Amino acid sequence: DAGASAGLQIDPGSGVLTWRPGAEFAGTTNAVTVIVTDSGVPSLSRSNTFQIIVGDYLEVILGRSVMQVGQTSSVPVSVATSTSVTNISFTVDVPFARLTNVTLQGLAPGVPAALQPAGPDRVQLVVSATTALPSGPPLANFGFVAPSNQPSAFVPLLVSSPAALQANGVAVARVAARDGRVVIVGGEPL
């Protein structure tokens, strides 16, 4: 139907309705009307209207960087969210043999954050603000040093266990993460 939401589909064989709403639908309620018509003469039809509620979301995003051995670099840490969020936490797997002296740098104004050890080759980043965190621009930079005397490598920064609280204290139900990556350029080519 011309008025259907983008991507909304009904399988003609099974009748199963599928829809993967984009971020622009987060926090919305969408009325959907399905009309079924048979091929008899005269044709008969029946319609049913129901609501699809799309919840809010938050995505933690780590950026990418290219650096030489023996140098300091960073990747931006940002969030994309459809709701007002004040608290975020997540862990990052950091291979400490490749990247050392992990720090948080350039925190956005009014964004208190802490970086805590969370096990071997892992740190936890915790952000707790009294006002809503900005969606889109970097909240901070995740800094590190690539020690000298190591070969070139692609180093993943794997994000896990993301969690977020809305300004009203309710957890954001749909939280995802986008991993970061560092390309270390040493004496040997990749």
Side-chain angles (χ1 to χ4, degrees):
D1 169 315
S5 297
L8 187 72
Q9 299 176 6
I10 297 178
D11 182 291
S14 68
V16 172
L17 183 138
T18 58
W19 183 39
R20 291 199 172 171
E24 68 274 14
F25 289 98
T28 64
T29 299
N30 304 271
V32 175
T33 301
V34 176
I35 303 169
V36 179
T37 305
D38 70 10
S39 58
V41 178
S43 64
L44 301 172
S45 64
R46 177 94 176 179
S47 67
N48 188 21
T49 300
F50 56 94
Q51 305 287 324
I52 297 178
I53 299 170
V54 182
D56 287 308
Y57 79 97
L58 178 128
E59 181 179 26
V60 173
I61 304 164
L62 282 188
R64 296 173 177 229
S65 180
V66 177
M67 66 186 300
Q68 293 184 328
V69 294
Q71 300 295 311
T72 299
S73 189
S74 65
V75 295
V77 177
S78 56
V79 296
T81 183
S82 64
T83 187
S84 180
V85 175
T86 56
N87 297 276
I88 300 170
S89 66
F90 59 93
T91 58
V92 181
D93 290 347
V94 182
F96 291 136
R98 295 267 185 198
L99 300 171
T100 62
N101 301 337
V102 176
T103 61
L104 279 179
Q105 310 161 345
L107 294 171
V111 179
L115 197 58
Q116 305 163 346
D121 290 342
R122 180 173 276 196
V123 294
Q124 181 180 36
L125 186 126
V126 178
V127 178
S128 298
T130 56
T131 60
L133 296 169
S135 178
L139 298 174
N141 289 304
F142 188 71
F144 37 78
V145 174
S148 300
N149 301 322
Q150 65 173 304
S152 299
F154 293 99
V155 180
L157 299 174
L158 303 177
V159 179
S160 60
S161 305
L165 290 179
Q166 298 177 59
N168 63 7
V170 175
V172 178
R174 288 163 196 76
V175 181
R178 194 178 315 166
D179 298 329
R181 185 176 74 180
V182 178
V183 178
I184 298 175
V185 180
E188 299 292 321
L190 288 169

